[in-house]
Amino acid sequence: MRFGVVLCICLACVCPVAAQGGSSPFLSRLTQTLQQKNTVRQNPGMNRLNWMRLYFPSQESAWHDGFWTRLYKSFSDANKQRTVAFYLYQMYISSAAYGGEIPSRLTVNYLGALDALERLDERFDLRGVETFYQHNKPEIKTWLKRFFEQAHLLSYEVKDPRNDAVELRFLRALVNSAESPERAGYALEPARWKSAVTKQDLAWLGQVQRQTTQESRQKVLLYEVDGIDLAIMHQASAYALQRGTQYLYRPAAKECAACSYLSCARICRQLGTVAPVGRRHVRLYQLQVHPRYGEFLQPAQAAAFHAPDGTEYPAWYYHEAVLVVIGRNGQYTPVVLDPFLSAEPVPLEKWLSWFRMDDTLLYAYPFRRWNETEERLVRPARREGKRIFQNGRAYDPLPAAY
């Protein structure tokens, strides 16, 4: 996940409905197989994750690829072939858990379907995914066969052309979910899952949230911004008259993206050590919500968003929080950490209910640690009034317009 001053992506949103038309024999058999699973019958919206392929939280930090690394990768489509197959596999599982439904676009009930695409290091135009599929079908289907073998489910039939129509409909749902060439999001709709968070998990995540809140009060997020860009974006700002790079900062406690990153990093450090659940039973996301129309997010009830103490916030261009999906005994529960809106962790469906459903789009980024981000998210070496000093440079507060 990369920080920006404001990241605002708006996608066209068409509410998903079950696609009309036939299915393939493979999808029908897969549907019958998953419908026989007790956990899927009890809670299909979350427990389908038992058969989806997961990215586990990691302590490893990554650098962004440089130019030559990207150039080298561009010579091969292998990563993209695997990623498209990964998406199709996730959609097969989700569709089967929902009785064979094929959506017209992705919603929050298909959470996890985009994980591989969000972690792909190469540029990939989602609008051209159907053409890519047609040109790379043998390789994609070979990956699909491998994924189903590893899941110990049905054997995927590589040579059955009846699967092609189903897979193209899955890809059409992806295209309909992506107005930005390289980003697809989830539309909001009523959740199809049940979630009862255990006292043990609430206690653990509540402690994480409180510890992160304390940490965020001690740190700042550093920015290096081109003065010309500032002039274009905020002409009334005093910085608009300056040229060259501006060195600015914002307190981490006031930046939802910084707080979500710190929370995820803390959870990664705890998994497998003091946390009550192990690494293999947790999925970790940075969630972002963006408005469908206009500039600002719309709350579901009041005229503005409010802090836990009742303080009214100014309008938000976007908002970010942490989603922890906890697995216990084959049951998955989604919990959100968002100190800006709640003093305690809350179930995902409650958090989503605070945003206007028909005017909000959700992005779920599987968490990754980034060296670049951690170099920008620091405790200041020195302060002089409102100015801070770090790495031999002086940083001024980010203009209030941001």
Side-chain angles (χ1 to χ4, degrees):
M1 178 60 205
R2 303 168 176 87
F3 288 135
V5 176
V6 172
L7 173 63
C8 198
I9 305 172
C10 295
L11 301 184
C13 178
V14 181
C15 291
V17 295
Q20 302 299 316
S23 176
S24 70
F26 174 75
L27 178 57
S28 297
R29 287 196 295 273
L30 181 64
T31 299
Q32 184 179 13
T33 299
L34 287 191
Q35 293 287 298
Q36 292 173 349
K37 306 289 185 180
N38 286 333
T39 55
V40 168
R41 287 204 305 268
Q42 294 168 6
N43 192 357
M46 276 288 119
N47 293 340
R48 64 196 168 89
L49 299 182
N50 278 300
W51 291 274
M52 292 175 71
R53 296 181 60 83
L54 311 184
Y55 284 111
F56 303 115
S58 171
Q59 269 291 88
E60 296 180 2
S61 294
W63 292 98
H64 293 306
D65 288 339
F67 170 76
W68 291 110
T69 305
R70 292 196 302 271
L71 184 63
Y72 172 76
K73 285 185 176 180
S74 69
F75 291 136
S76 172
D77 279 331
N79 287 340
K80 296 176 184 177
Q81 292 162 356
R82 182 179 185 275
T83 297
V84 172
F86 204 115
Y87 166 77
L88 291 172
Y89 172 84
Q90 310 285 50
M91 291 299 289
Y92 266 119
I93 297 297
S94 296
S95 175
Y98 294 138
E101 172 186 290
I102 301 180
S104 63
R105 69 149 297 153
L106 301 176
T107 72
V108 292
N109 290 301
Y110 286 82
L111 182 73
L114 297 172
D115 286 6
L117 292 160
E118 291 295 352
R119 292 181 67 96
L120 185 65
D121 291 328
E122 304 167 78
R123 292 185 178 276
F124 186 53
D125 189 344
L126 299 179
R127 298 174 187 175
V129 69
E130 293 167 281
T131 301
F132 182 85
Y133 168 83
Q134 297 287 12
H135 291 167
N136 297 270
K137 194 181 298 184
E139 295 84 0
I140 291 171
K141 287 179 175 290
T142 298
W143 276 113
L144 271 171
K145 181 175 177 61
R146 185 179 304 180
F147 293 156
F148 277 102
E149 287 173 349
Q150 292 171 346
H152 303 292
L153 283 167
L154 302 182
S155 177
Y156 175 78
E157 298 141 346
V158 171
K159 296 183 179 180
D160 188 344
R162 291 173 293 183
N163 293 329
D164 295 12
V166 170
E167 289 156 18
L168 284 169
R169 286 158 69 186
F170 288 153
L171 295 173
R172 174 50 50 182
L174 176 60
V175 173
N176 290 342
S177 303
E179 186 122 337
S180 170
E182 297 170 19
R183 280 290 181 271
Y186 302 98
L188 301 195
E189 69 173 8
R192 299 191 202 179
W193 59 78
K194 305 170 187 176
S195 58
V197 188
T198 67
K199 292 182 179 179
Q200 183 183 16
D201 290 332
L202 281 177
W204 167 47
L205 294 176
Q207 182 184 46
V208 168
Q209 182 165 314
R210 290 188 293 274
Q211 290 171 336
T212 303
T213 299
Q214 291 297 323
E215 182 182 6
S216 68
R217 291 170 181 165
Q218 301 169 21
K219 290 190 172 183
V220 298
L221 185 62
L222 304 178
Y223 294 93
E224 295 183 13
V225 184
D226 187 337
I228 296 176
D229 288 341
L230 281 172
I232 293 172
M233 296 175 67
H234 300 292
Q235 296 181 6
S237 169
Y239 290 94
L241 302 177
Q242 302 184 33
R243 294 293 182 266
T245 301
Q246 304 298 308
Y247 297 99
L248 307 170
Y249 76 91
R250 191 177 190 190
K254 295 184 178 181
E255 174 55 68
C256 58
C259 287
S260 71
Y261 186 93
L262 289 172
S263 294
C264 289
R266 181 175 292 275
I267 291 171
C268 281
R269 291 195 298 270
Q270 291 189 6
L271 290 177
T273 55
V274 300
V277 292
R279 172 177 174 269
R280 292 186 58 81
H281 301 287
V282 169
R283 301 179 84 173
L284 193 57
Y285 295 90
Q286 285 179 271
L287 298 180
Q288 283 187 6
V289 282
H290 292 264
R292 176 185 173 190
Y293 303 112
E295 287 188 277
F296 304 115
L297 281 170
Q298 299 297 318
Q301 303 297 331
F305 292 101
H306 291 81
D309 65 3
T311 303
E312 183 176 308
Y313 289 115
W316 285 344
Y317 292 103
Y318 78 109
H319 185 57
E320 186 161 316
V322 173
L323 172 63
V324 187
V325 182
I326 301 172
R328 289 186 184 279
N329 304 317
Q331 305 279 338
Y332 283 86
T333 303
V335 188
V336 174
L337 280 64
D338 186 352
F340 290 82
L341 292 175
S342 174
E344 299 294 335
V346 295
L348 175 58
E349 61 266 36
K350 180 176 181 179
W351 184 78
L352 291 172
S353 73
W354 294 335
F355 302 91
R356 184 170 159 181
M357 185 172 295
D358 62 351
D359 194 37
T360 306
L361 293 164
L362 174 74
Y363 297 82
Y365 303 95
F367 177 68
R368 299 174 78 174
R369 293 187 63 180
W370 293 101
N371 292 62
E372 179 184 72
T373 297
E374 296 188 12
E375 288 179 353
R376 296 175 55 206
L377 194 51
V378 299
R379 287 183 173 86
R382 181 163 58 94
R383 294 179 181 268
E384 289 185 7
K386 293 185 178 181
R387 176 171 285 188
I388 68 166
F389 294 83
Q390 189 74 17
N391 303 324
R393 291 197 180 105
Y395 290 79
D396 293 306
L398 197 70
Y402 279 88

